[in-house]
Amino acid sequence: MKPVYLDYAATTPLDERVLQAMMPYLTDHFGNASSIYSFGRAARKAVAAARSQVADLLQADPAEIFFTSGGSESDNWVLKGMAFALRRAGKGSHIVTTQIEHPAVLNTCRYLEQAGFQVTYLPVDIEGRIMPKAVQEAVREDTILVSIMTANNEVGTIEPIAEIGSWLQQQGIFFHTDAVQAVGHIPLAVDELHVDALSLSGHKIYGPKGTGVLYLRRGSRPDSLIHGGEQERGMRAGTENTAGIVGLGRAAELAHKELGTEWSRLSELRDQLIKEIRSIDGTWINGAIQYRLPGNVNFGLEGLSHDTLLIRLDMAGVAVSAGSACSAGSLEPSHVLLAMGQTQEQASSALRVSIGRFTTQTEIQFFVRTLKDIVEALRK
């Protein structure tokens, strides 16, 4: 059997239909979208079409969609840009986020602390859920910005963003959500979420790496992160990555069209996988069961190290992970699991299996058999 890829939360394979959409802009239609002649107009038209495709997925206005190089840039841009802009306007310097955010948010907040901002890192419950009341209690008179992820990249827990956003909107506080893991996998509409900004990444929805989006509600004007030309309406400089943007647009279109059927199929595979894992002695599921991404299963195995399990699974031809791909190589236990109250030993036994568009029933069965054989051998 060919190697089995079960790490879709780290990255997804490029959909063949996305590649087909990109190819003309990697060959014949190579013009600069900022140029006024025909080559440039063709590229500019393609970028505009992609902007509309992404807007449709988020139920937003195309004028609120800004293309970036990925989720990390989008997070950095909105957090730094809005923090400095709002502080300069005399609004305050207090930021609220959670302890389980992606490093792109956590490390940006730590940078902002060095720049004189105060940041509150809210705890979560044992399922990785943030309580709306905790956000309300953390907000102060000088709170200018709140950033909470839509769904956690490690344990798959979906956060109550709409409830939190509704209250923050009433208070007039800028609200950002890192939706990199959620966009294209669960239904999302920016108005229903009551968010002012949202980050997404192309390579999490079967699009090309190096592409991303920052949704900015009309009227929001963060300081620019990249200075230069007048691209992206003067907000984000740099020659447009036309082929990548076209690919991201096509990926968004496909995700929008196939969301319902993929949600049902992946949820069924996920639940089957959870049932099989629970049949192994000394296992537990990390994260929420009810509020969970359809493609995520994170679990722990008593007395075993995820390092050993990952090596054994890789040797058997199965690719899974121990957590965030952006923390690969770290010897530290997952900050997410520690924030959920697990011991270092428990957190060091966790594996994340994430499935996606091309995952088959046969692959799930092969993984389960392989895992059971490895666990049995290690526990002898």
Side-chain angles (χ1 to χ4, degrees), residues 25-254:
Y25 300 92
L26 292 168
T27 53
D28 296 336
H29 303 305
F30 55 84
N32 187 322
S34 297
S35 300
I36 62 172
Y37 44 69
S38 61
F39 291 90
R41 290 197 302 272
R44 189 161 57 252
K45 182 178 179 181
V47 169
R51 204 181 305 277
S52 294
Q53 289 169 320
V54 174
D56 287 344
L57 176 61
L58 299 178
Q59 296 185 40
D61 188 314
E64 299 171 312
I65 302 300
F66 295 85
F67 292 113
T68 68
S69 66
S72 291
E73 184 194 328
S74 296
D75 288 342
N76 272 262
W77 178 16
V78 69
L79 294 180
K80 294 174 183 176
M82 288 306 302
F84 286 115
L86 291 170
R87 185 173 68 174
R88 190 170 57 251
K91 301 291 186 180
S93 59
H94 179 236
I95 296 166
V96 177
T97 188
T98 79
Q99 296 175 6
I100 64 166
E101 297 298 311
H102 187 275
V105 169
L106 290 177
N107 288 335
T108 300
C109 285
R110 291 176 186 130
Y111 165 83
L112 289 170
E113 286 183 291
Q114 295 175 359
F117 292 86
Q118 293 182 312
V119 182
T120 297
Y121 300 90
L122 294 175
V124 294
D125 65 16
I126 59 173
E127 291 188 329
R129 291 262 290 178
I130 182 73
M131 295 297 101
K133 185 178 180 182
V135 178
Q136 296 174 18
E137 292 175 348
V139 166
R140 312 182 323 206
E141 287 188 4
D142 62 341
T143 301
I144 55 174
L145 171 65
V146 175
S147 180
I148 299 174
M149 63 189 354
T150 307
N152 185 261
N153 52 303
E154 292 193 26
V155 298
T157 297
I158 300 171
E159 305 296 342
I161 297 300
E163 185 178 349
I164 294 169
S166 177
W167 185 82
L168 289 172
Q169 195 171 63
Q170 293 172 27
Q171 312 309 309
I173 297 173
F174 189 90
F175 185 32
H176 163 254
T177 188
D178 178 338
V180 165
Q181 289 291 331
V183 167
H185 306 295
I186 60 174
L188 294 177
V190 290
D191 285 343
E192 294 176 6
L193 293 176
H194 306 285
V195 295
D196 299 295
L198 178 150
S199 305
L200 69 86
S201 181
H203 78 104
K204 305 292 188 178
I205 56 171
Y206 312 93
K209 294 175 177 62
T211 62
V213 161
L214 179 62
Y215 157 80
L216 280 173
R217 187 173 294 279
R218 283 184 180 274
S220 302
R221 186 82 185 186
D223 289 355
S224 293
L225 184 66
I226 300 176
H227 298 90
E230 293 299 310
Q231 291 88 356
E232 291 302 287
R233 286 149 286 165
M235 297 275 278
R236 195 267 188 187
T239 299
E240 294 88 348
N241 173 13
T242 304
I245 289 170
V246 167
L248 173 52
R250 178 61 170 147
E253 180 183 50
L254 292 169

Side-chain angles (χ1 to χ4, degrees), residues 212-328:
V213 161
L214 179 62
Y215 157 80
L216 280 173
R217 187 173 294 279
R218 283 184 180 274
S220 302
R221 186 82 185 186
D223 289 355
S224 293
L225 184 66
I226 300 176
H227 298 90
E230 293 299 310
Q231 291 88 356
E232 291 302 287
R233 286 149 286 165
M235 297 275 278
R236 195 267 188 187
T239 299
E240 294 88 348
N241 173 13
T242 304
I245 289 170
V246 167
L248 173 52
R250 178 61 170 147
E253 180 183 50
L254 292 169
H256 192 197
K257 179 181 179 182
E258 299 174 1
L259 181 60
T261 55
E262 275 297 278
W263 169 283
S264 299
R265 188 183 74 87
L266 292 178
S267 295
E268 186 175 336
L269 284 176
R270 176 204 62 197
D271 292 346
Q272 174 195 337
L273 185 52
I274 288 175
K275 182 179 178 180
E276 291 283 1
I277 288 168
R278 280 177 162 166
S279 71
I280 303 173
D281 289 340
T283 60
W284 62 88
I285 302 300
N286 296 317
I289 296 299
Q290 181 181 0
Y291 303 104
R292 191 182 201 96
L293 290 173
N296 178 290
V297 180
N298 189 302
F299 61 98
L301 296 108
E302 185 177 4
L304 297 176
S305 165
H306 56 217
D307 292 342
T308 302
L309 291 165
L310 287 171
I311 293 170
R312 293 290 189 100
L313 285 166
D314 185 39
M315 291 173 64
V318 180
V320 299
S321 74
S324 172
C326 296
S327 299

Side-chain angles (χ1 to χ4, degrees), residues 342-357:
Q342 294 197 8
T343 65
Q344 291 215 359
E345 183 180 4
Q346 288 172 325
S348 296
S349 75
L351 290 180
R352 181 187 68 185
V353 178
S354 48
I355 58 179
R357 184 174 292 170

